[in-house]
Amino acid sequence: MDSFEEENQSTMASEQYYMSLHPEVRFQPKDEELITHFLKRKISGDPLPVNIIIDELSFYEYSPIQLSQMYAFAKQKEMYFFTPVERKFTDSTLPRRKARNGYWIPTSKYENIEQGTEIIGVKKSLRFFAGRHRNASTKTNWTMLEYIAGGTAAVSQSPYFLYDWVLCKVYEEELSAKKAPESNNQGNAANEEVTGEQLHPHIRTSPLEDIFGAKKRRCLSKKYSGQLPLTICTSSYRRPCLPELPFEVIIEILSRLPVESVLRFKCVCRQWCSTFQEEDFIAKHWVRASPLRLPYRYRWDYNNSVSFYEENFKLIGNSCGLFLEKNYSSQVFRIRNFAMHQVLYLPHALNAYINTMCFVLNLSTGECKVAYFYIQGNLDAEVGLKVLTVGIDCQWRPLKLSNQTIWGQHEKYLLKRHILKPNQTEGAAHYVEIIRAGQDLYLEVQSFDLWTECFVTTRLPERVFGNLEKVFVFSWNHHLAVGEIVEEALNILVLEDFKDHKWSENKIVVPYKFLKDNPSLKNQIWAPVRVIYGKLELQGVKSFLTYDMEREIITRIEVGNDPDKEHFASHKPSLLTFKGMRPKRVRCD
């Protein structure tokens, strides 16, 4: 039986018990009674009182409002629960106070609970703050008294739980009505607010109170000194009461606003500010946001077209509204959020030759990872890998690729290597090697899952392609693909699931029919770059071509390099930021 079923049965038993009581009966035990008759018996495993009054509950998985709705049948002002307390860290004695949609923050120190001259336990008062971030949370009226048997020295030996059982008493404090200040009739008449009832019983009021305010009314009352015009009397006017929108509806409206409006609305209240920083809202806003137009220019680097936004930085990759950039003349990397106009500089990469950078981001959790493959020394040397978790790691962490071959030994030689960057869907980078072992050739793929930081090695089936030295490695709908051009047709085999070493059963054949319609293009070797949404992107000599495989036509072709020509790209803005980001303005159209 899982914990949910146990809690459900406990709630049903409590409901039957409370329904059997007289409506005026209240459960109000003293502090020493809670420790002696309930908490100590629960810890020692002794039977509790016959009537079920206190339930076992994973207390911190609920908010106080949810608990009040679940136990509304009891009609009690206080709610009592047995619950374990987890450690905040496995090697710490601090309790974990994070609850659902908020935090429990202590408002008092531990107070001793005595029975005669003996101290039998302690209690502490805590207040619930709504919001997932303490610096942007809202104080509520919900209070909890936490009872611990035997004092704080009775700490569990478990690495996960600080206390196996504590007793929680939860209730909502009532707001005390503020006393209205008494009027001083002996004060200066010019400083008093003039009301409609003081002027004349038949004078009608107007909404000028909300326009001018109390200070303006005092000036007018001093000027007219007694008898005012009918349009100046304002105190008895009241705006009509409008029904309040549910907070869920407000969130739906705010998630459709542009980034600039959301940033301005952060100062409305703490609840809005805290909501805008939650991962759920950031992911919802990014899906619904309208794209921005960002300017860029082309620059040729190692025969590849690289777009960049500043003279010294080039674009490496982008994910969920954030961009990874690298300095042309140094190993300086940074993450940029164009919508928020902020950048985060990453620790310096100390390796001399960096082959490929990988950048992935999970909007639902806010986790972001950056990795790069490097070659230390000659190009024939072994490949290394370093990983950085943004916001957690202060330095790059080295990882060793599995099954790394020492070239030149055992008659094994590396003929060709290729690294395919990870995509947002799969989240895995693929390191491909074409190896000659004696007279045989084989293609080996080492897939690196950035989220789990694990390697999976897969081999291409033998004799699938005629000459492995002439194959191309590219992306096919977010998966690794190996292709070979044979008689003006591209034959493709796709690694559909790298974890299960599963390749596509049959080859995918894409005829290069555009070469027949455009004889001038036959002089170039059009290497596949990627396939997405039925569009095949090909690269020639300083030229790009997009081929619609379904309609068998060329939809876009770019030839030559014009560094002065400005292009525009669509970019979906994101509200996600990281600690340590600096302001950096950029032009967005």
Side-chain angles (χ1 to χ4, degrees):
M1 181 182 298
D2 55 14
S3 59
F4 177 78
E5 293 179 354
E6 292 178 356
E7 292 176 2
N8 190 21
Q9 290 187 2
S10 179
T11 305
M12 294 174 60
S14 299
E15 183 174 0
Q16 294 176 1
Y17 166 73
Y18 280 110
M19 294 301 293
S20 65
L21 297 177
H22 193 274
E24 296 182 359
V25 173
R26 296 290 182 266
F27 178 65
Q28 295 178 343
K30 298 179 181 180
D31 292 344
E32 55 269 22
E33 294 174 345
L34 289 173
I35 297 292
T36 305
H37 299 296
F38 291 93
L39 185 54
K40 282 190 173 182
R41 289 172 175 264
K42 182 65 177 177
I43 296 174
S44 61
D46 296 335
L48 296 174
V50 178
N51 296 326
I52 301 176
I53 298 178
I54 302 179
D55 288 342
E56 298 177 13
L57 192 69
S58 299
F59 178 76
Y60 288 97
E61 295 182 2
Y62 302 90
S63 66
I65 298 178
Q66 288 179 309
L67 293 175
S68 63
Q69 295 174 352
M70 293 168 55
Y71 288 85
F73 57 83
K75 298 180 181 179
Q76 304 282 335
K77 293 183 178 181
E78 299 90 5
M79 297 178 290
Y80 297 85
F81 304 103
F82 289 121
T83 184
V85 177
E86 297 181 3
R87 297 177 186 268
K88 191 172 184 179
F89 307 103
T90 55
D91 57 348
S92 173
T93 57
L94 295 176
R96 178 179 175 270
R97 298 299 187 186
K98 185 177 181 181
R100 185 177 181 87
N101 300 330
Y103 291 86
W104 287 99
I105 298 180
T107 57
S108 69
K109 298 181 179 180
Y110 283 106
E111 301 179 10
N112 293 331
I113 301 175
E114 300 178 354
Q115 189 175 36
T117 59
E118 180 186 0
I119 298 177
I120 60 175
V122 293
K123 70 175 181 178
K124 175 183 279 192
S125 176
L126 300 95
R127 181 62 64 93
F128 185 75
F129 285 74
R132 295 192 177 182
H133 300 276
R134 290 199 178 189
N135 57 355
S137 56
T138 304
K139 183 179 180 181
T140 67
N141 298 329
W142 288 99
T143 302
M144 175 180 67
L145 293 178
E146 184 182 71
Y147 294 87
I148 303 174
T152 56
V155 178
S156 174
Q157 300 298 323
S158 171
Y160 305 104
F161 296 104
L162 185 63
Y163 301 106
D164 292 330
W165 292 110
V166 298
L167 196 152
C168 298
K169 175 182 177 181
V170 188
Y171 59 94
E172 185 177 14
E173 293 183 350
E174 297 180 358
L175 292 176
S176 58
K178 295 182 179 180
K179 295 183 178 180
E182 297 180 357
S183 60
N184 186 4
N185 297 327
Q186 298 177 358
N188 188 356
N191 293 329
E192 296 180 0
E193 293 186 13
V194 181
T195 62
E197 291 77 9
Q198 291 174 337
L199 296 177
H200 196 277
H202 299 291
I203 291 180
R204 297 181 180 179
T205 59
S206 67
L208 291 180
E209 178 181 5
D210 299 306
I211 301 177
F212 295 103
K215 184 176 179 180
K216 185 69 175 178
R217 294 198 307 275
R218 287 196 296 268
C219 296
L220 293 173
S221 63
K222 183 176 180 180
K223 179 178 179 180
Y224 290 95
S225 65
Q227 187 174 2
L228 301 179
L230 299 181
T231 58
I232 297 178
C233 187
T234 61
S235 64
S236 61
Y237 173 78
R238 294 292 182 269
R239 289 182 177 180
C241 295
L242 298 177
E244 295 185 358
L245 288 175
F247 189 68
E248 293 77 7
V249 178
I250 297 176
I251 294 301
E252 289 294 320
I253 297 174
L254 294 176
S255 64
R256 288 172 167 82
L257 296 180
V259 175
E260 293 77 7
S261 300
V262 174
L263 295 180
R264 287 198 300 267
F265 289 154
K266 290 180 68 174
C267 61
V268 172
C269 63
R270 287 185 177 181
Q271 187 179 15
W272 284 23
C273 183
S274 175
T275 302
F276 295 158
Q277 299 175 9
E278 295 179 357
E279 291 82 4
D280 295 341
F281 181 83
I282 292 174
K284 182 183 296 184
H285 181 271
W286 182 78
V287 172
R288 298 174 174 177
S290 300
L292 299 177
R293 296 179 71 229
L294 294 178
Y296 69 95
R297 291 182 176 89
Y298 279 119
R299 175 170 176 172
W300 293 93
D301 184 21
Y302 301 107
N303 296 326
N304 292 320
S305 178
V306 179
S307 57
F308 66 101
Y309 295 87
E310 289 186 5
E311 183 178 357
N312 296 328
F313 280 87
K314 65 178 180 179
L315 179 65
I316 299 297
N318 65 299
S319 181
C320 297
L322 299 185
F323 288 74
L324 177 66
E325 297 177 325
K326 179 187 178 299
N327 192 290
Y328 273 106
S329 58
S330 64
Q331 304 292 6
V332 176
F333 297 91
R334 68 184 185 185
I335 296 176
R336 168 174 281 194
N337 188 329
F338 286 95
M340 302 287 286
H341 306 289
Q342 291 182 343
V343 295
L344 175 66
Y345 285 87
L346 303 179
H348 286 260
L350 302 179
N351 300 93
Y353 180 74
I354 295 179
N355 187 286
T356 304
M357 293 289 300
C358 306
F359 177 54
V360 292
L361 172 65
N362 190 343
L363 267 184
S364 60
T365 61
E367 184 179 9
C368 178
K369 287 196 175 186
V370 183
Y372 68 85
F373 293 84
Y374 66 92
I375 301 174
Q376 200 73 280
N378 298 326
L379 295 180
D380 293 337
E382 294 184 4
V383 175
L385 174 66
K386 288 191 176 182
V387 183
L388 176 75
T389 303
V390 179
I392 298 179
D393 296 334
C394 299
Q395 298 294 333
W396 296 89
R397 293 181 286 107
L399 296 177
K400 183 175 178 59
L401 276 72
S402 60
N403 301 331
Q404 190 73 16
T405 307
I406 300 177
W407 311 122
Q409 299 182 10
H410 309 291
E411 297 183 354
K412 291 185 177 181
Y413 299 92
L414 176 66
L415 300 181
K416 189 177 180 181
R417 63 160 53 102
H418 185 90
I419 300 176
L420 188 67
K421 294 182 180 181
N423 55 75
Q424 193 63 28
T425 304
E426 195 176 43
H430 303 283
Y431 173 61
V432 183
E433 293 178 334
I434 299 177
I435 304 169
R436 178 183 295 276
Q439 300 297 326
D440 298 328
L441 289 177
Y442 63 89
L443 185 146
E444 187 175 87
V445 182
Q446 293 191 46
S447 303
F448 174 63
D449 191 341
L450 269 74
W451 300 121
T452 61
E453 298 187 5
C454 296
F455 291 92
V456 179
T457 303
T458 308
R459 279 197 180 186
L460 182 73
E462 297 181 358
R463 298 182 179 86
V464 175
F465 298 105
N467 188 358
L468 289 179
E469 297 185 35
K470 295 183 179 181
V471 298
F472 301 96
V473 179
F474 57 99
S475 173
W476 177 279
N477 294 330
H478 306 303
H479 297 285
L480 180 138
V482 181
E484 181 185 20
I485 299 177
V486 179
E487 297 179 356
E488 295 186 355
L490 179 63
N491 299 329
I492 305 168
L493 202 66
V494 181
L495 181 59
E496 297 178 346
D497 191 345
F498 71 92
K499 296 181 181 179
D500 293 338
H501 315 282
K502 181 182 178 182
W503 294 85
S504 55
E505 296 182 0
N506 302 317
K507 288 183 182 179
I508 303 173
V509 181
V510 180
Y512 276 12
K513 291 187 177 181
F514 61 89
L515 296 178
K516 298 180 181 179
D517 301 333
N518 300 274
S520 60
L521 301 178
K522 290 185 177 181
N523 298 327
Q524 301 187 43
I525 298 176
W526 293 97
V529 178
R530 68 169 182 170
V531 175
I532 185 168
Y533 303 126
K535 303 294 192 301
L536 171 62
E537 297 182 3
L538 304 170
Q539 179 181 348
V541 180
K542 288 191 176 182
S543 57
F544 279 94
L545 182 148
T546 302
Y547 179 64
D548 192 327
M549 296 184 298
E550 183 178 355
R551 296 187 294 171
E552 299 182 351
I553 60 173
I554 297 175
T555 59
R556 182 175 66 96
I557 185 169
E558 295 182 8
V559 181
N561 176 25
D562 187 2
D564 297 328
K565 183 180 179 181
E566 189 175 62
H567 303 266
F568 288 90
S570 297
H571 154 63
K572 295 196 71 174
S574 174
L575 293 170
L576 184 64
T577 57
F578 299 104
K579 184 179 180 181
M581 274 191 158
R582 307 176 186 176
K584 185 72 174 179
R585 303 293 297 183
V586 68
R587 178 166 65 92
C588 301
D589 296 342

